[in-house]
Structure formats: structure tokens, C-alpha cells
Amino acid sequence: MTEKTLNLWPIGNCQVSALVDDRAGFVWGCQPQVDGDPLFCSLLEPKGDGRPGMPRGEWRFELEKQVSAEPRYLGNSPILVTRLTDEDGGAVDVYDFCPRFMQSGRLYRPVAYARIVRPVTGGPRLSIRLNPANHWGAENADRTRGSNHVRFLTDPAPLRLSTDAPVGRVLDGRPFRIERDLAFFLGADESFQGAIGPNVARMMEKTKRHWMFWVRGLAVPLDWQEVVIRCAITLKLCQHEETGAIVAALTTSIPEAPGSERNWDYRYCWIRDAYYTVQALNRLGALDVLEGYLFYLRDLVDGAEGEEVQPLYGVGGNAKLEEGVAECLAGYRGMGPVRIGNAAFTQSQHDAYGQIVLSNAQAFFDKRLFRAGDEADFHQLEAIGEKAAEKFDEPDAGLWEFRTRASVHTYSSVMCWAACDRLANIAGRLGLEDREQYWQAKSKHIRDVIEQRAWCEEKGRYSAIFDGDELDASLLQLVDMRFVEADDERFRATLAAVEKGLRHGNQMLRYASEDDFGLPETAFNFCTFWLIEALHRVGRDEEARELFEATLERLTPACLLSEDTDFKTGELWGNYPQTYSLVGLINCAMLLSRPWSSVR
């Protein structure tokens, strides 16, 4: 068996998604949404037996005597095309996508996966190996046969594969000769309307056009367009459009480092990660993601009713994400545990208050939005600001979500300052002079405390916690949050210390001290991008560009990144695709690219 890697290709439609390996195998995908039960879970190695010749939790097409597989995306879309070739030169193209297009006046994005197999040359013989899993890899989904379909008794709802391929060959996995196009539609347990071959082909064409029109509206930089476009599409796939939630990654429990047990479930909406995602997509002009997310945020704030806001929620807005272990999955390369849920929902992470306000602030200034922020929205945000003013100097778990200790983290405090600062700006925009003055006073008080307690006089730089001298990469965000200017000598001294203490060649640590699991063993990709941004802002553009180019060498063939990178081997680790990392790619490309005017 080929060792698993993160050379995976996401497909999706903002309702469901799947990760396809580089040999046309669906190895990860949950239904009815991204934080649901994985019907495709072979990426995390189910412990039980599959069916004869069919691994549990996988959907794979494979040629008899196959010698190569070459995946690529179809244009500016998440439609994947994989050419499979056998040793006699016979070849087929496999097209994989999740339907997404306008139909009958509304967006059609069903819980469905579609595949088309098209013969290219020769007389190749194809095996179809489809064996969805149930209950987190505990069992093969029961199945029943129809004349042109197979019904799978998956939870929480059964699925039906409609196809014009021989149903017997779908069930037994035996190879057969391919002489015509074959279509497959795995979706709701209901009759497929019309002829499946032509209709699935039309779905693919409509889906392609939908995505190409979406990409056409992006304000991409001149340089690194392919990377930026692929990152933007993938960030869009990380939004659960029904609610507006944006997940941190599509996977759970890919270890941050081999055997580290730093295995976390990232299929939820962190307020922090989502803030950075909409910030990056706003720079590209993808306002539809922002508008959907703001709906999700307003709903969360309403539901909190003035109480403390959690750092993360389920894609449906559910608050309780109890953490457990999927005992029937061995884990990525057998490196468990595989976690379901995330105990960080119980933590206090005060930076969330700033990120809620910062995400909402654009709605009060941007005239392109369908729904502009109004005075009622402002007063709702004031409740968040009051929490920020109350909590800014209290210990929390911080943005790195420490599980066994709490401190007053400078990043969290500065985000609380930003909440009050931006509320003052919004009040001024709305002509509410008394509220503007009120929030200016709040922000000044918070700033004064931060300057007093986060500045380490002995080291001549800012500290990552109050009244200490700790370093972490989040100090590089002080400029992005507008707390200091890039030419401020205090920031330059802090940058020099962070670079000396946390940089390993072309990569960055989050922090260099021991945490709940010991010393960090891999670089955190987002922090590398923070360093690139900081180098650019202080005028070290050549170094920033060199570091960015070195980072691009670590991209998967799909032009994406996971969360972490091994210092020595350059291998990717951590959940994938990671929104933080994709945000960093977009932001740095936008900062470092040549202007479009240079080619006019």
C-alpha cells in the first residue's frame, strides 16, 4: 500500500466536500456537512475489514495494470480531472466535482458527489471500488441494489448512487472494459431525474461556469495568480454556506508532528480563523464570503445574550463540541488518536471579541454590501466591546489554546483594544459623537495598560504575556492590528527578537517554549507568513520575497498547504487544507506582487 501523504485535492460545493488523493481515490469526506460523519475516511485508516478488494471508507477508480495517475484542476474551478494510464497505453479521464450552480432561481448545492469516467485511448479495464463507512469508520455501510442504482444505509441519512455503469461491477469491484463515458451521482436517496450521463455532464459544465465567473470577480495580484486563485477557491469551499460558518480545515487529527498526539479536530468555525479568512478574501473582493459570515456572527452574538463568547462553534452554530476519540480509526499513518469535537470550546480566548468587531466593521463603511451595518447593529456590537473592555487584562488560553495554563496574552489584549478602537470609528461613521468619545476613552485606557504591562524594559521589546518576557510569533501582528506603526523602534526591536528566537531557516515557530505536549517539533506555516509580512512592512522586501518563494516550494501539487511543516524534511503535517496557511499565501502575494501597471 502506498504511504499516505497530504498531496490531496479538495472538491466541494460549500455544503459537502471531499479530499481526493493523486490516484483518483476519495479518501476523506463527511456528510451531510463538513463536521458530520465521514463516509470517506480511509485517510485515517479504519481498523476493521472492508469488503473484498474495497477498503472501508473509500471510493476509488483504478485501471487494471495501471502505471500512472495525473491529477489537475479544470480551469479556475474545484473540478478535478485525473488521467489514469495503464501499461498498454490505455487511458481514461476521471472528472470529480460537487454540483454547484444556479437552478430555478436559487443556488443548487446538494449533498452530492458526481464523477464522470471518459475513455481517452486504448481499451482500458476499470475497477470501481466504492465502500462508504458508517459511525466513524466502525462499519461498512449496508447496501441494497436497484436496477440503475445502489442504496447505501449511511447515517444520518441514506445515500443513493445513480449510475449508467454496470451496477454489478459497482458492487463486486471487478474490472471491466471502458468503451463509453460513465456517470456516477452519489446523493440523496431519491430517483435521479432524467438520463444520468447527459445530465451529470451538464451539471459539470454549469459548475465549471459558476466557479469561473466567481473567480473572474476576484482582484488578484499580477504575480502568483495560480496560487492565489486556488487558495481563494479552497477558502470558499471551507465556508458552510447554509449558515455562513467558515471552518479552520476540512480534516481532523492529522498530527502536527509525527507521533506527537497533537491531533485536533479543525472542522469547526473558530472566530479567529474566520476573521483572517474574510480579511484575506476581502482583499480579493470576494464579499459573498464576508456577507455570509456576518450573518453567522450576528446569530452567534444574539445567542450569547451578553455572556462570554466561545472561541469556536459548530458550522450550524452549535455551542457544545464535546471532545472524544474515534476508536475505530487508527489515524493518519496509524498515528492516533482521531479526535471528534474540540475541547477548546470551553476555553476563554479574549481575542475573539476583537475579531468579531473587526469582521463586522467593514459593513459600516463598504457601500458594495447588500446589507450595510446600521445603528442597531452597532449597539449589538457594543455588548461585545464591553466584554472586550472587561476581559482585556484577564488571563486566557490565548490564541495557541494552551490547555493547562492561562496568562494575560498580549495578542488577546491588543485584539480587545482593537474592538474598542474600531467601535469608536464606527460610531464616528454613524455620527454618534457621545459613543465615539466613550469608545475612544475605553481604547485609550486599554492601550495605556498594554504599553505598561506588555513592554519588557529589560529586553527592550514587547512580551507575549503581561509582566513577562516570553516570545511568540503573534507579536508580529501588532502592526496589522494597527497598534503600532512599522517604523516604531519598539516594533523593530520586537521583530528582531522574534526572528532571532523563533526563526528556523525559512520557517517560523509559534513559540519555542514547552507547552502541554513538550517542545514544538514543526514550523507553523501561518507564522512564517506573518514574518514575511513584517519584513515587507519594515522595508526588507528582497528578504520577504525570497522567503515567500521558498515557502511556495512546499506547496502540494494542488497549490495548497497544511498547518505545519517539518523543519528538516519540508514534509507537511497538520490538518489540511488549513485556512490560516491559505490566508498567508494570499496576503503575502498581494503585498509582494508587482503592480498591474507594470505590464500596461
Side-chain angles (χ1 to χ4, degrees), residues 411-428:
Y411 176 88
S412 296
S413 299
V414 174
M415 268 295 179
C416 289
W417 164 82
C420 299
D421 177 74
R422 304 314 193 265
L423 282 168
N425 293 345
I426 295 167

Side-chain angles (χ1 to χ4, degrees), residues 201-272:
R202 278 192 289 269
M203 285 182 182
M204 185 171 71
E205 183 59 32
K206 289 180 180 179
T207 298
K208 177 186 173 184
R209 289 181 60 81
H210 174 92
W211 282 105
M212 293 186 73
F213 272 97
W214 185 80
V215 169
R216 194 177 69 167
L218 299 179
V220 299
L222 174 60
D223 298 321
W224 308 295
Q225 290 183 51
E226 181 180 358
V227 172
V228 170
I229 288 170
R230 188 51 50 196
C231 289
I233 290 173
T234 307
L235 287 177
K236 176 68 175 172
L237 294 183
C238 288
Q239 182 169 50
H240 183 64
E241 209 163 47
E242 184 176 310
T243 62
I246 301 168
V247 299
L250 299 179
T251 56
T252 177
S253 300
I254 308 298
E256 293 181 17
S260 65
E261 296 194 10
R262 297 174 186 263
N263 300 10
W264 313 114
D265 191 349
Y266 278 7
R267 302 168 305 134
Y268 306 111
C269 184
W270 269 260
I271 289 173
R272 179 187 314 112

Side-chain angles (χ1 to χ4, degrees), residues 351-374:
D351 57 307
Y353 301 114
Q355 288 136 7
I356 289 173
V357 175
L358 267 61
S359 295
N360 275 274
Q362 184 170 340
F364 295 89
F365 295 88
D366 194 331
K367 293 185 177 298
R368 295 172 297 171
L369 297 177
F370 288 133
R371 185 189 183 282
D374 57 22

Side-chain angles (χ1 to χ4, degrees), residues 339-409:
R339 291 191 168 93
I340 310 168
N342 199 303
F345 84 92
T346 65
Q347 293 183 347
S348 293
Q349 297 177 27
H350 302 324
D351 57 307
Y353 301 114
Q355 288 136 7
I356 289 173
V357 175
L358 267 61
S359 295
N360 275 274
Q362 184 170 340
F364 295 89
F365 295 88
D366 194 331
K367 293 185 177 298
R368 295 172 297 171
L369 297 177
F370 288 133
R371 185 189 183 282
D374 57 22
E375 191 168 334
D377 295 322
F378 169 72
H379 291 312
Q380 184 190 47
L381 285 179
E382 285 194 296
I384 299 298
E386 294 292 356
K387 279 293 182 184
E390 174 190 341
K391 299 288 187 180
F392 83 95
D393 59 352
E394 294 184 6
D396 71 351
L399 79 162
W400 309 126
E401 301 183 341
F402 297 117
R403 294 194 168 203
T404 59
R405 66 180 189 265
S407 302
V408 182
H409 290 92

Side-chain angles (χ1 to χ4, degrees), residues 133-333:
N134 248 344
H135 308 138
W136 281 88
E139 58 191 38
N140 305 308
D142 288 339
R143 58 191 189 175
T144 59
R145 172 178 178 161
S147 57
N148 296 105
H149 73 267
V150 180
R151 186 170 183 258
F152 295 96
L153 301 181
T154 51
D155 281 337
L159 295 176
R160 177 182 298 213
L161 176 74
S162 299
T163 182
D164 54 7
V167 172
R169 292 297 174 257
V170 174
L171 294 171
D172 63 27
R174 291 169 53 195
F176 63 101
R177 184 181 175 91
I178 296 291
E179 295 184 341
R180 60 179 176 84
D181 289 6
L182 301 176
F184 304 80
F185 186 89
L186 181 63
D189 185 23
E190 55 192 34
S191 296
F192 189 90
Q193 299 300 310
I196 186 166
N199 281 347
V200 171
R202 278 192 289 269
M203 285 182 182
M204 185 171 71
E205 183 59 32
K206 289 180 180 179
T207 298
K208 177 186 173 184
R209 289 181 60 81
H210 174 92
W211 282 105
M212 293 186 73
F213 272 97
W214 185 80
V215 169
R216 194 177 69 167
L218 299 179
V220 299
L222 174 60
D223 298 321
W224 308 295
Q225 290 183 51
E226 181 180 358
V227 172
V228 170
I229 288 170
R230 188 51 50 196
C231 289
I233 290 173
T234 307
L235 287 177
K236 176 68 175 172
L237 294 183
C238 288
Q239 182 169 50
H240 183 64
E241 209 163 47
E242 184 176 310
T243 62
I246 301 168
V247 299
L250 299 179
T251 56
T252 177
S253 300
I254 308 298
E256 293 181 17
S260 65
E261 296 194 10
R262 297 174 186 263
N263 300 10
W264 313 114
D265 191 349
Y266 278 7
R267 302 168 305 134
Y268 306 111
C269 184
W270 269 260
I271 289 173
R272 179 187 314 112
D273 300 54
Y275 156 69
Y276 281 111
T277 297
V278 297
Q279 181 191 54
L281 289 177
N282 287 351
R283 289 169 176 163
L284 295 175
L287 298 181
D288 56 326
V289 177
L290 170 66
E291 288 179 316
Y293 179 60
L294 291 184
F295 172 81
Y296 180 80
L297 270 187
R298 288 190 292 266
D299 193 47
L300 290 185
V301 172
D302 278 348
E305 297 181 339
E307 298 299 318
E308 190 166 340
V309 175
Q310 295 179 189
L312 70 152
Y313 294 83
V315 297
N318 44 310
K320 291 190 180 297
L321 303 171
E322 299 290 350
E323 189 172 295
V325 173
E327 299 289 353
C328 294
L329 294 174
Y332 181 71
R333 298 185 187 172

Side-chain angles (χ1 to χ4, degrees), residues 511-525:
Y511 44 82
S513 57
E514 287 196 9
D515 60 17
D516 313 334
F517 292 81
L519 287 171
E521 301 174 61
T522 51
F524 196 77
N525 292 324

